[in-house]
Amino acid sequence: MLESKLSQCVKEAVQSLYDLLLSEKDITLQKTRKEFTGDFTIAVFPFVRASKKSPETTASEIGEYIKNHLKEVTDFNVIKGFLNLEISKSYWLNFLNNHQQDVSFGFTKTEEKEVVMIEYSSPNTNKPLHLGHIRNNLLGWSVAQILKANGKNVVKVNLVNDRGIHICKSMLAWQKWGNGETPTTSGLKGDHLAGKYYVLFNQHYLEEIAEMMTNGMEKEVAEKQSALMLEAQEMLRKWEAKDETILHLWETMNAWVYEGFDQTYRRMGIDFDKTYYESATYLSGKSIVEKGVSEGKLIRKADQSVWADLTAEGLDQKLLLRSDGTSVYMTQDLGTAHLRNEEYQPQQMIYVVGNEQNYHFDVLKLILLKLGYNWADSIHHLSYGMVELPAGKMKSREGTVVDADDLMDEMEKTAYDKALELGKIDDFESEEARQLYAVIAMGALKYFILKVDPQKNMLFNPTESIDFNGHTGPFIQYTHARIKSLIKKASDDISPIVANIDVLTKEKDIIRLLHEYPAIIKVAGENRSPALIANYAFELAKEYNGFYQEITILKEENDDLRNFRLVLSAFTANTIKSAMGLLGIEVPERM
RNA sequence: GGCCCCGUAGCUCAGUUGGAUAGAGCAACAGCCUUCUAAGCUGUGGGCCACUGGUUCGAAUCCAGUCGGGGUCACCA
């Protein structure tokens, strides 16, 4: 890489000129800002103590040294203490030539692969996926792609929460008021059907509580004595006791829900290598905990409940088994983590889970370490912020949840309306047009979500998100389509650039962006942030668009220049496509 | 109250390991369709980077504190 050669040369220069030995991190190599001439910039302030000269002189001396020792550096200039290096045109031209056909440009190719497991989505089987899941799914899937690009062996897993009282609520409501309704008879997606009965349960439950309270009962007492709730709890006990009728109902309804989830996942373009079910893993958590008790690492209290004492780590005691012996959330997670480690021995386990569970994951790691599982250090919680709505927060109880399927429908319809309005699809066959709305709608949605730094809470404005102008996925898709159309019309074979082309300023900005693409993927992989790639893709597309508006490639007088621009365009299209691919966003050939 | 995260233009967001005069998009205003696709491009206006101190050649970025917003501290998941 050019960057490392430059750094190395700076190191040599400083050592030979000022007898100062630098480490890699003392050298700040950065892109030269647009308003100055040059390609790379080095701040020489850290070396002035050793040089005992002014920053300007120091920079000039180092610049002179580099110019004499590196053939890629043709010239330099100094502004204050900033040394701007200019890279030869032939280097950039070679770079373009070498990578223009390289479909996996920027991707790491390694023989020995590190196994990374990543969990995302993690739905409950009592209701459909919502906006929060969308952020989760997109992040998880995209990060998996980025890690693959970095040469990791990635295992994508889902953990389905298919047991517990909330599941029983749906089941009970269906039993009581469902009249045998199925996805086939009702035309409802399975997950929506289950969700409908979950909501129904809560409605009846609230009515019951209200009625008991008007009869003079305290709210807390009413909640505990609610016949519905007691019935749901009874159902859970039967489930754990493997009651056949209940198990059958559970399996039937779950099958409906999974079919619904699969549809949504397919539409979003995400998938998994393996799915874990809590109903199948929660018991292993219990055995880990029991083992911890017998080894004296956990405490069993007089009422038989089991606790982890984390006071030495500055935290509280944490419950692991209830006094009746049943497991809690933490117990299940301990079990699942253990199981996964046995099965795959991953070097890293990434959990994509909302930031409201930051504390939970701190505790999870601490407990695992306390129990002697040193692999717990490999657990990384990829925490993401809440998705808020302009009107206020999303709360399922208040009925302001944005359903994932509904949202995708709405996006698609808007894409259709907009395309129709602009007359974009007049020459498209109906099937091609239909696919195009889907691609654009998903592109808009995915990009809108992924461009924001995962850690931050974000505002999802449905009206703004379906505006296809500006900093959006469709803009990038559009840029790609334009380039493709341009190349198609040029129709000539694109040959390597041989001539010494005078590289224009605007074009060089694009080449430099392309040049840094591998670094972007790497940093995004380390930070687990698709946002870096999203924002990069936009920058590249925007830069190209500005350039595109002014050029006339098709009838360029100078054949060399024409070919150079076609090569640049082709390479740009490739890179946009591959960057968007890491986000799970398709780029159409025309739109 | 303890701990964690966030605070950058009117709004939504970028800002790579601390670097030069703080960057986009939306919204507002002014231009640009005889070319390849105007879902676009060009330009103008808009900032106490929450505040105060510290670290140093240099701070939106690191540290401490203050103020604001959110989350979390369950025999819920």
Side-chain angles (χ1 to χ4, degrees):
Chain A
M1 264 329 261
L2 180 62
E3 281 91 336
S4 53
K5 271 170 94 172
L6 287 169
S7 295
Q8 184 59 32
C9 195
V10 173
K11 191 176 166 183
E12 285 166 20
V14 172
Q15 191 169 8
S16 112
L17 291 168
Y18 314 124
D19 197 27
L20 175 67
L21 190 62
L22 294 174
S23 71
E24 288 297 316
K25 63 172 185 286
D26 295 327
I27 301 164
T28 57
L29 191 70
Q30 52 199 299
K31 269 199 305 183
T32 303
R33 295 177 63 123
K34 272 187 185 176
E35 54 274 32
F36 304 104
T37 27
D39 296 294
F40 293 98
T41 297
I42 293 148
V44 299
F45 300 105
F47 320 143
V48 294
R49 189 169 301 183
S51 73
K52 298 192 180 71
K53 289 170 186 163
S54 72
E56 289 83 355
T57 317
T58 311
S60 300
E61 287 178 356
I62 296 173
E64 199 62 42
Y65 182 97
I66 295 174
K67 189 178 165 184
N68 291 334
H69 286 78
L70 273 186
K71 65 177 188 320
E72 290 88 349
V73 176
T74 52
D75 208 350
F76 70 93
N77 64 80
V78 175
I79 295 166
K80 296 193 213 166
F82 295 94
L83 170 62
N84 300 320
L85 301 170
E86 290 172 40
I87 305 302
S88 70
K89 280 179 283 189
S90 62
Y91 176 84
W92 295 122
L93 292 178
N94 272 336
F95 166 74
L96 269 187
N97 272 335
N98 291 341
H99 297 290
Q100 58 152 319
Q101 303 288 6
D102 186 357
V103 188
S104 56
F105 170 64
F107 288 49
T108 306
K109 294 135 197 144
T110 43
E111 289 298 317
E112 210 171 310
K113 287 188 173 180
E114 188 183 321
V115 176
V116 179
M117 173 170 285
I118 178 163
E119 176 198 303
Y120 55 95
S121 203
S122 317
N124 291 352
T125 53
N126 62 328
K127 52 191 172 199
L129 303 175
H130 56 73
L131 184 51
H133 288 113
I134 294 184
R135 192 175 197 187
N136 184 311
N137 292 341
L138 297 181
L139 270 175
W141 195 87
S142 180
V143 167
Q145 293 308 111
I146 295 167
L147 291 171
K148 277 185 197 171
N150 279 304
K152 313 283 189 204
N153 186 359
V154 180
V155 185
K156 297 176 282 187
V157 303
N158 195 356
L159 174 63
V160 179
N161 181 354
D162 60 346
R163 63 171 294 277
I165 191 77
H166 49 294
I167 315 296
C168 292
K169 288 178 185 174
S170 290
M171 284 159 56
L172 186 64
W174 183 85
Q175 237 179 13
K176 282 185 174 303
W177 307 295
N179 296 321
E181 189 179 43
T182 69
T184 323
T185 62
S186 65
L188 268 179
K189 261 179 95 226
D191 49 338
H192 287 255
L193 186 71
K196 173 179 157 186
Y197 286 99
Y198 184 69
V199 170
L200 210 56
F201 176 94
N202 279 324
Q203 280 171 4
H204 284 273
Y205 174 64
L206 289 176
E207 280 167 19
E208 193 186 2
I209 300 284
E211 199 180 315
M212 290 161 90
M213 281 167 72
T214 50
N215 293 339
M217 198 179 273
E218 289 292 322
K219 193 182 177 198
E220 282 181 22
V221 184
E223 281 170 356
K224 282 200 175 127
Q225 293 191 358
S226 149
L228 262 182
M229 189 58 84
L230 291 175
E231 227 175 316
Q233 283 164 356
E234 173 60 19
M235 192 180 248
L236 181 60
R237 273 189 291 275
K238 281 186 178 169
W239 181 88
E240 294 212 7
K242 301 194 189 322
D243 178 289
E244 265 189 45
T245 326
I246 302 298
L247 274 186
H248 180 72
L249 176 61
W250 177 70
E251 279 162 7
T252 309
M253 285 186 75
N254 272 357
W256 297 344
V257 172
Y258 296 146
E259 175 52 34
F261 283 171
D262 284 347
Q263 269 184 45
T264 307
Y265 288 146
R266 267 199 300 276
R267 190 169 178 192
M268 290 178 85
I270 70 159
D271 58 0
F272 305 93
D273 300 312
K274 179 168 176 105
T275 300
Y276 287 92
Y277 299 92
E278 287 199 350
S279 57
T281 64
Y282 78 105
L283 290 173
S284 92
K286 283 191 179 184
S287 55
I288 289 179
V289 171
E290 290 297 348
K291 187 161 166 274
V293 172
S294 64
E295 289 170 355
K297 291 168 179 164
L298 301 173
I299 313 160
R300 190 186 299 277
K301 293 195 175 174
D303 65 357
Q304 296 304 301
S305 58
V306 175
W307 299 75
D309 184 5
L310 301 172
T311 44
E313 286 84 359
L315 302 175
D316 281 343
Q317 296 194 332
K318 190 78 189 172
L319 179 81
L320 294 180
L321 288 179
R322 298 190 185 98
S323 46
D324 65 2
T326 56
S327 65
V328 292
Y329 178 46
M330 182 62 76
T331 323
Q332 291 165 193
D333 259 9
L334 290 171
T336 313
H338 179 70
L339 225 60
R340 286 173 181 173
N341 188 61
E342 298 267 287
E343 255 178 285
Y344 292 93
Q345 284 107 37
Q347 274 83 3
Q348 276 189 76
M349 278 200 241
I350 301 172
Y351 289 77
V352 183
V353 179
N355 63 6
E356 71 270 14
Q357 294 194 33
N358 285 356
Y359 179 70
H360 171 79
F361 279 94
D362 288 346
V363 173
L364 177 68
K365 278 179 83 160
L366 280 175
I367 294 178
L368 283 169
L369 290 173
K370 198 178 187 69
L371 292 173
Y373 302 111
N374 290 331
W375 48 260
D377 279 325
S378 69
I379 290 178
H380 178 263
H381 176 203
L382 177 49
S383 162
Y384 62 89
M386 285 180 37
V387 183
E388 286 160 11
L389 290 170
K393 274 169 286 175
M394 245 176 24
K395 285 271 159 61
S396 51
R397 272 180 262 119
E398 292 156 17
T400 52
V401 162
V402 176
D403 179 82
D405 296 313
D406 293 349
L407 181 63
M408 288 190 280
D409 286 343
E410 195 190 337
M411 296 295 289
E412 215 162 291
K413 189 180 177 304
T414 312
Y416 170 78
D417 291 344
K418 196 85 183 173
L420 211 62
E421 182 190 318
L422 293 168
K424 284 288 169 186
I425 48 171
D426 295 348
D427 60 338
F428 277 60
E429 297 299 323
S430 62
E431 177 57 20
E432 190 186 4
R434 198 195 57 77
Q435 279 176 14
L436 189 66
Y437 319 137
V439 166
I440 292 173
M442 289 311 295
L445 176 62
K446 288 180 178 181
Y447 192 86
F448 192 88
I449 303 270
L450 288 174
K451 74 173 177 178
V452 181
D453 179 2
Q455 198 172 32
K456 291 186 174 176
N457 286 0
M458 67 174 287
L459 187 78
F460 181 77
N461 186 333
T463 2
E464 247 180 58
S465 75
I466 44 187
D467 184 353
F468 293 85
N469 289 309
H471 187 176
T472 64
F475 169 76
I476 301 169
Q477 292 174 318
Y478 175 66
T479 304
H480 177 266
R482 277 175 112 169
I483 298 175
K484 282 300 192 185
S485 150
L486 183 90
I487 290 169
K488 199 175 170 191
K489 285 208 170 130
S491 77
D492 295 5
D493 286 337
I494 299 170
S495 48
I497 314 159
V498 283
N500 187 15
I501 305 291
D502 282 327
V503 177
L504 303 174
T505 318
K506 199 77 172 164
E507 293 157 339
K508 204 150 112 184
D509 286 338
I510 298 171
I511 300 172
R512 278 183 2 178
L513 273 169
L514 294 167
H515 187 260
E516 73 182 278
Y517 180 54
I520 295 285
I521 298 184
K522 191 150 177 278
V523 174
E526 280 166 9
N527 294 1
R528 281 110 183 172
S529 173
L532 284 173
I533 288 173
N535 285 292
Y536 165 83
F538 176 69
E539 199 185 336
L540 180 58
K542 189 167 155 38
E543 197 67 62
Y544 185 86
N545 252 301
F547 150 78
Y548 172 97
Q549 192 77 12
E550 292 163 21
I551 59 163
T552 48
I553 285 177
L554 293 184
K555 45 184 173 193
E556 196 71 61
E557 289 156 25
N558 177 337
D559 279 349
D560 286 338
L561 186 56
R562 179 174 181 276
N563 188 53
F564 161 71
R565 285 174 166 168
L566 281 173
V567 168
L568 177 61
S569 297
F571 188 22
T572 307
N574 266 352
T575 310
I576 286 177
K577 186 174 184 178
S578 116
M580 295 293 268
L582 294 177
L583 306 176
I585 298 174
E586 284 180 66
V587 282
E589 294 288 307
R590 65 182 189 131
M591 62 187 279

